[in-house]
Amino acid sequence: MKTALVTGASSGMGRAIAERLLDDGYRVYVAARGIDRMSDLAALGARPLQMDISKEDDIRAVVDIILAEAGGVDVLVNNAGFGLYGPVEDVGLNEARYQFEVNLFGPARLTQLLLPAMRAKGAGTIVNISSMGGKIYTLLGAWYHATKHALEGWSDSLRLELASFGIRVVVIEPGLIETGFGDVLAEGLVTRSGVGAYATMTQAVAQSTRGAYGQGRGTDPAVIAEVVSKAVHTRRPKTRYVAGKYAKPMIAIRKWFGDRMFDRVIMSQMR
C-alpha cells in the first residue's frame, strides 16, 4: 500500500484530495492545525495529525511519525495555504512574512524532511497546490500572488533537481474553487483597509470577491482532487495542470494579450 500526506486537509481542496486518495487505495495521512476538524476523514480511514505548517516543531513531529509508521511517503500534496489581500501600504511586513511561511517556506521545509526517504526509494510524487494566481495577478493581491509565483518557480527548479532520483514534481493551478477562501479574504480586506486611502478600492474588491463565491458559482473541490489523482497515477505527468472556473481563460489572456490588456480585464470587474 502506497502512502500519501495531504496538508491543509481540514476543509476544501485538501479534504477532497484526501478523500480521493483514500478511494484510490492509499494509506493517507492528513495534517492541519485543527485535528478535530478531520474526524470525518479519520472515519474514512485517514490518519489525522496536528500541524501548523509555519512551525518547525510541528513539521518535524509529523515527519517523525510518518517515518516511524510508514517509512516515508510516496505522494506529498502541499496544499496548506491562505490568501492575504490588502494594499501593500497597509499590510504589515510581519503579516507578509507569515504569508510566505505558510504558502512557501513551510511546504519547502516539509519537503526537505521527506525527501531523503523518497530518494532512498527512487520514486515519489510531490504535488504543489499553487493557483491561477501563480501565473496572473489581481487587485490588492500583491503578497498572495508573490507567494504563489515564488512557489511555482521553486517547484520548477525542484523538478529538475529531483528528476534523476525518480521523483516527480507537479504544480496544480486551481481557478475559483468553492472553499472558504473568498469569505476569509473579503473579511480580512475590510478589517484591514475598509477605511482610509484605499477604502473605495477595498470595498469594491471585497464585494466582487463575495459575489464570486457561493451558491454554486465556483468549481467543486472534487474537480481538483480528480486532477491530483490523475497526476499521481500517470506515468509521465504534466508539469502543470490548470483546472477550475476562470483559470484557463485568465491565464491565457495574461499570456497572449499582455499586461495592459490584463490590467483592463481586472479593473473592469471592480465597477
Side-chain angles (χ1 to χ4, degrees):
M1 181 181 292
K2 290 188 175 182
T3 301
L5 167 61
V6 182
T7 68
S10 61
S11 64
M13 291 186 293
R15 174 173 289 170
I17 292 166
E19 289 174 350
R20 179 53 193 264
L21 291 177
L22 284 166
D23 288 342
D24 289 344
Y26 278 80
R27 177 183 189 177
V28 179
Y29 289 86
V30 289
R33 287 185 300 176
I35 196 168
D36 56 316
R37 295 180 61 194
M38 297 183 288
S39 57
D40 54 339
L41 291 174
L44 294 174
R47 170 82 152 90
L49 299 171
Q50 191 280 327
M51 182 179 71
D52 183 332
I53 194 64
S54 70
K55 294 182 177 179
E56 171 80 9
D57 289 347
D58 281 14
I59 295 171
R60 281 188 173 275
V62 163
V63 170
D64 288 345
I65 290 170
I66 294 173
L67 291 177
E69 294 181 354
V73 299
D74 300 282
V75 175
L76 167 61
V77 182
N78 285 313
N79 169 73
F82 78 103
L84 171 65
Y85 264 59
V88 169
E89 186 177 344
D90 289 353
V91 176
L93 287 183
N94 284 340
E95 288 183 283
R97 289 187 182 100
Y98 180 68
Q99 173 83 129
F100 271 91
E101 286 292 339
V102 173
N103 288 7
L104 179 64
F105 295 123
R109 184 57 177 146
L110 180 61
T111 301
Q112 284 181 328
L113 294 174
L114 288 170
L115 271 176
M118 281 188 172
R119 283 193 294 100
K121 291 182 180 180
T125 304
I126 298 167
V127 180
N128 292 327
I129 306 297
S130 177
S131 164
M132 65 178 177
K135 286 287 182 62
I136 65 168
Y137 51 89
T138 53
L139 185 62
L140 302 184
W143 292 114
Y144 172 71
H145 290 291
T147 63
K148 291 302 184 180
H149 279 69
L151 179 65
E152 298 223 3
W154 181 79
S155 299
D156 288 332
S157 292
L158 185 67
R159 184 178 66 251
L160 298 179
E161 291 177 19
L162 300 181
S164 64
F165 298 106
I167 303 169
R168 300 103 57 86
V169 179
V170 175
V171 172
I172 310 292
E173 297 171 336
L176 195 156
I177 309 299
E178 280 300 335
T179 65
F181 182 88
D183 289 338
V184 173
L185 187 156
E187 182 179 345
L189 260 178
V190 173
T191 299
R192 182 179 295 103
S193 302
V195 296
Y198 299 93
T200 300
M201 190 184 301
T202 294
Q203 295 292 348
V205 172
Q207 182 178 348
S208 175
T209 301
R210 291 191 182 103
Y213 289 85
Q215 299 179 358
R217 296 185 184 95
T219 298
D220 192 297
V223 171
I224 303 303
E226 173 67 24
V227 172
V228 171
S229 177
K230 178 181 178 181
V232 167
H233 291 99
T234 300
R235 186 181 66 83
R236 186 176 172 83
K238 297 178 182 179
T239 59
R240 279 172 173 76
Y241 291 84
V242 182
K245 190 173 182 180
Y246 300 134
K248 289 182 179 179
M250 293 297 278
I251 291 173
I253 291 170
R254 171 79 194 283
K255 179 178 180 179
W256 298 111
F257 294 95
D259 293 343
R260 295 301 184 190
M261 175 60 74
F262 192 79
D263 288 354
R264 289 196 287 272
V265 170
I266 293 298
M267 296 309 292
S268 70
Q269 305 305 307
M270 300 300 110
R271 297 169 187 167

